[in-house]
Amino acid sequence: MRVYAVVIRILRQFIHDKRTMALMIVAPILVLTMLSFVFNGEDLKLKIGVVNVPNAVIEKIEGNDVTVTKIEATEDIKGVIKEKDYDAIMDFNNEERKLYLEGSDPSINKAVVERIKGSIGSESAETKMVILYTYGSSDMTTFDYFGPVLVGFFIFFFVFLIAGVSFLRERTQGTLERLLASPIKRWELVTGYVIGFGLFTMLQSAIIALYSIYIIDLKMEGSFFYVLLVTLMLALSALTLGILLSAFAKNELQMIQFIPLVVVPQLFFSGLFNLDTVSDYLSWIGPLTPLYYGADALRDVMIRGQGISEIWADLLVLIGFSFVFIILNVFALKKHRRI
Amino acid sequence: MDTYPVQASVTKRYGKTTILDGIELTFQRGEIFGLLGPSGSGKTTLVKLLCGIEEATEGTVQVFNQQMPDLNVMNRMGYMAQADALYVELTAKENLEFFASLSGVKRTERKERIQEVMKLVDLEQHLDKKVETYSGGMKRRLSLAIALLHKPDILLLDEPTVGIDPSLRQRIWDTFEALRMKGVLILVTTHVMDEAERCSRLGLIREGKLIAVGTPDEIKTNTKSTTIEQAFLTYGGVKR
């Protein structure tokens, strides 16, 4: 079977081209790791101001990475936070206990709240503490929240690039012409590419997903199988789109020029930034991009722990994208041979 | 079997540029047809039309009574492009295996065929080397080996011996001769005049027009030249 011949050839090319193989697996891992450090710095030094808080409570909160300073009651909490660079101020002055968070950094907010709740959880059981944000709000995302989007994005990005360039090289090095002088059918060539890259992509997705979940420790509520399923479908759409667009590039550099045009904008509409705030003039773009659906499904699984009943529609759309791109590919090849 | 397996009557234009202008040619089984002409004269385009990668703007190419492109007919043809179309990151063997399975060489015969064609082009020692380590001449020979792999009835070879040393070139031409005796039709484009002498018939192309067809002797007689090179220059309007 000629499809099989193409599949075997592509896998052999991967095995020989160790650098590309490494790029596709190591680069996403590297970038995700760096991002996780950037957003989830482990050694957060928290600086908390307290007003009228009992010493017993202060002792519980204080620790290696938390400094607690007693300050005088003031009306201008916001000013004090700003001036003295506090991450938070606890105010037990009135009957209602209040926690003022600095608020602009979600990871710090989280750390402060966790620390305080962990320390005084039992004591404050009857008196609920009100959390107030000086800047920002509790709705702000954290790495846990956009991690799944980034996992999807990097898989999409690298599969798009590598698949596009390798199909492009098929053209520039003359092997496409040589292939089309053989009795291979156009759909056999495209299918061979999809399966060959698909097999490699499965491996890539599995490694990146495993790494993100178990090493970077991304929040993972749902089933690993669904994560794999979503990333694979997303990768297939990247693969078929990459091959398709390579038909419109003359060389590798022109292929790279598609990245800011086609790949990066997808990130803006994938939920990395709050979609509700996207201007109406642009919000229609999101639903046209595969990453929009991939990211949504990944978040459903990883953050909300949902299963197939929630993600099937996203998966279906992704399969639809791939299918349309495959058909367009078969047609694009007509340019090179009519039958 | 048809006496004229290949019949071409073609005009090819890209936009307003005419590459091939009303070329009429028939080829027989068991001949080596040499296509001569300066670079840019349309030789490569003609070869591509014959093997079905390109299609004529006007006219048709018939191979084994089928209008090209036809996938079944294409499997009976061996094509060697002017530029080596090889996967350089793969070994020679992997390239051969890939093209063998594309053109339907049976799994059981594959190994044997690969050995045969590689022996023919004197590359058996380098079967497991990556193609990126090959020299230009070695790549040329590997391309030729790939074209011969599935025992085609028609061989279309676009400058097959460029960069190959004279003694190996002689051997390759001996192979062509042996294939011709078996009834294979071989079409070669060439710049090398002593290769032209070894062809059964020659076709001279200039600016997309076929200016002369005949055996090497006929062509020399018609132009009162002693060598093909002189004849070629005479047809080109250059007097010596």
Side-chain angles (χ1 to χ4, degrees):
Chain A
M1 180 96 175
R2 286 182 285 263
V3 172
Y4 177 74
V6 177
V7 172
I8 294 296
R9 194 209 81 213
I10 288 172
L11 291 179
R12 280 177 163 171
Q13 282 176 303
F14 265 119
I15 291 164
H16 285 301
D17 190 355
K18 301 231 165 36
R19 191 169 141 171
T20 298
M21 196 154 72
L23 175 83
M24 289 188 73
I25 295 173
V26 176
I29 283 180
L30 198 71
V31 179
L32 284 168
T33 308
M34 286 195 293
L35 281 171
S36 80
F37 281 123
V38 170
F39 289 105
N40 283 353
E42 257 184 90
D43 299 311
L44 271 179
K45 295 270 184 246
L46 299 178
K47 201 176 160 196
I48 299 174
V50 290
V51 182
N52 260 2
V53 174
N55 281 340
V57 175
I58 293 175
E59 270 167 31
K60 277 186 181 161
I61 297 173
E62 239 174 354
N64 268 343
D65 44 10
V66 184
T67 37
V68 180
T69 318
K70 287 185 187 179
I71 54 171
E72 301 209 352
T74 168
E75 286 297 306
D76 186 19
I77 296 277
K78 189 173 174 176
V80 175
I81 283 180
K82 199 174 173 186
E83 197 188 315
K84 304 272 173 144
D85 200 22
Y86 287 115
D87 293 310
I89 290 179
M90 265 170 95
D91 187 355
F92 284 17
N93 211 12
N94 308 312
E95 283 197 11
E96 198 184 28
R97 296 173 171 193
K98 284 178 180 157
L99 177 65
Y100 297 90
L101 292 172
E102 194 271 342
S104 63
D105 188 335
S107 55
I108 292 179
N109 294 345
K110 208 174 125 196
V112 171
V113 172
E114 269 173 14
R115 179 85 195 183
I116 289 171
K117 283 203 169 153
S119 313
I120 60 168
S122 53
E123 263 186 20
S124 63
E126 63 264 344
T127 328
K128 213 172 173 250
M129 193 157 55
V130 178
I131 298 174
L132 299 162
Y133 287 81
T134 313
Y135 307 102
S137 76
S138 62
D139 292 330
M140 284 193 67
T141 55
T142 66
F143 187 66
D144 277 342
Y145 186 65
F146 53 66
V149 178
L150 291 173
V151 169
F153 174 75
F154 286 116
I155 288 175
F156 189 94
F157 176 87
F158 286 103
V159 171
F160 173 85
L161 188 63
I162 305 296
V165 168
S166 53
F167 203 76
L168 176 90
R169 274 175 47 198
E170 193 90 68
R171 215 148 39 87
T172 53
Q173 73 190 355
T175 44
L176 179 64
E177 186 187 271
R178 182 63 189 75
L179 285 180
L180 293 176
S182 86
I184 193 169
K185 295 185 180 73
R186 284 176 286 137
W187 70 264
E188 289 177 320
L189 179 59
V190 176
T191 311
Y193 254 80
V194 170
I195 298 176
F197 266 88
L199 286 175
F200 179 74
T201 304
M202 263 198 226
L203 177 77
Q204 182 213 24
S205 304
I207 293 176
I208 293 172
L210 279 171
Y211 184 88
S212 309
I213 293 164
Y214 295 107
I215 313 284
I216 300 183
D217 208 19
L218 268 183
K219 193 179 173 73
M220 176 62 182
E221 297 290 325
S223 146
F224 185 71
F225 171 75
Y226 289 135
V227 172
L228 269 192
L229 195 64
V230 176
T231 48
L232 186 65
M233 291 303 137
L234 186 62
L236 277 186
S237 70
L239 157 70
T240 46
L241 180 64
I243 295 176
L244 181 63
L245 289 183
S246 76
F248 304 101
K250 283 202 184 82
N251 50 47
E252 279 89 343
L253 186 62
Q254 289 196 347
M255 192 66 212
I256 289 170
Q257 290 163 3
F258 279 124
I259 293 172
L261 284 175
V262 177
V263 181
V264 174
Q266 296 204 38
L267 193 59
F268 302 151
F269 299 100
S270 59
L272 193 58
F273 305 105
N274 194 339
L275 284 176
D276 300 333
T277 62
V278 174
S279 149
D280 285 345
Y281 296 110
L282 289 176
S283 60
W284 55 272
I285 296 175
L288 298 178
T289 61
L291 194 59
Y292 178 87
Y293 301 94
D296 186 49
L298 279 175
R299 247 194 265 108
D300 277 345
V301 175
M302 293 175 75
I303 299 175
R304 302 177 192 124
Q306 282 159 341
I308 196 77
S309 58
E310 286 298 320
I311 61 170
W312 67 269
D314 287 324
L315 287 177
L316 217 58
V317 176
L318 286 177
I319 293 169
F321 269 114
S322 305
F323 189 71
V324 170
F325 294 148
I326 287 173
I327 301 291
L328 290 175
N329 268 312
V330 175
F331 273 98
L333 280 175
K334 252 190 164 167
K335 199 167 80 179
H336 301 281
R337 192 181 69 189
R338 183 167 52 85
I339 55 166
Chain B
M1 193 63 51
D2 206 316
T3 18
Y4 294 107
V6 180
Q7 299 169 311
S9 160
V10 289
T11 292
K12 178 76 184 174
R13 291 189 203 94
Y14 288 112
K16 283 183 177 172
T17 325
T18 304
I19 308 293
L20 292 172
D21 190 0
I23 302 250
E24 305 264 349
L25 271 174
T26 54
F27 306 104
Q28 296 156 24
R29 287 176 67 81
E31 74 169 340
I32 301 177
F33 191 96
L35 212 49
L36 285 135
S39 38
S41 60
K43 299 189 297 288
T44 295
T45 308
L46 182 56
V47 172
K48 284 184 183 176
L49 280 166
L50 292 174
C51 71
I53 305 171
E54 296 271 358
E55 285 186 72
T57 317
E58 286 163 33
T60 56
V61 175
Q62 301 257 339
V63 181
F64 299 122
N65 294 317
Q66 297 292 319
Q67 187 167 331
M68 292 299 280
D70 180 280
L71 293 182
N72 290 323
V73 170
M74 283 161 99
N75 207 22
R76 297 174 64 183
M77 306 171 101
Y79 168 57
M80 175 178 172
Q82 194 167 15
D84 296 304
L86 301 164
Y87 298 97
V88 292
E89 61 272 44
L90 297 183
T91 66
K93 194 177 167 198
E94 287 166 343
N95 270 283
L96 287 157
E97 281 172 352
F98 173 60
F99 284 107
S101 47
L102 274 194
S103 46
V105 178
K106 286 199 189 73
R107 197 171 288 271
T108 44
E109 298 168 16
R110 209 168 283 172
K111 209 173 165 190
E112 196 187 328
R113 278 305 289 163
I114 287 175
Q115 288 297 335
E116 271 174 42
V117 292
M118 286 301 265
K119 194 167 180 193
L120 209 62
V121 295
D122 204 15
L123 284 175
E124 324 128 271
Q125 312 296 325
H126 307 283
L127 200 52
D128 291 314
K129 278 190 190 158
K130 281 193 189 180
V131 176
E132 59 197 4
T133 65
Y134 271 33
S135 72
M138 287 163 84
K139 285 182 189 162
R140 213 69 208 119
R141 279 141 66 194
L142 180 58
S143 298
L144 180 61
I146 289 171
L148 296 170
L149 202 52
H150 57 295
K151 295 187 178 167
D153 296 318
I154 299 175
L155 268 175
L156 302 165
L157 309 172
D158 202 349
E159 304 197 354
T161 54
V162 170
I164 298 182
D165 65 79
S167 66
L168 186 60
R169 214 169 65 205
Q170 285 302 323
R171 269 186 43 208
I172 287 173
W173 271 84
D174 292 343
T175 310
F176 290 169
E177 189 68 27
L179 289 169
R180 185 187 72 78
M181 304 279 261
K182 285 186 195 162
V184 177
L185 160 61
I186 300 171
L187 183 111
V188 289
T189 71
T190 183
H191 283 299
V192 186
M193 291 305 157
D194 66 299
E195 288 188 355
E197 296 274 7
R198 292 189 68 168
C199 292
S200 329
R201 282 196 303 151
L202 290 173
L204 269 52
I205 294 192
R206 201 174 175 87
E207 284 164 7
K209 290 194 173 68
L210 192 64
I211 50 175
V213 183
T215 64
D217 285 337
E218 282 168 3
I219 283 179
K220 280 186 279 188
T221 318
N222 288 349
T223 52
K224 299 183 182 68
S225 328
T226 50
T227 65
I228 298 285
E229 193 157 12
Q230 271 180 4
F232 189 72
L233 293 169
T234 310
Y235 276 119
V238 187
K239 288 284 175 199
R240 274 270 165 103

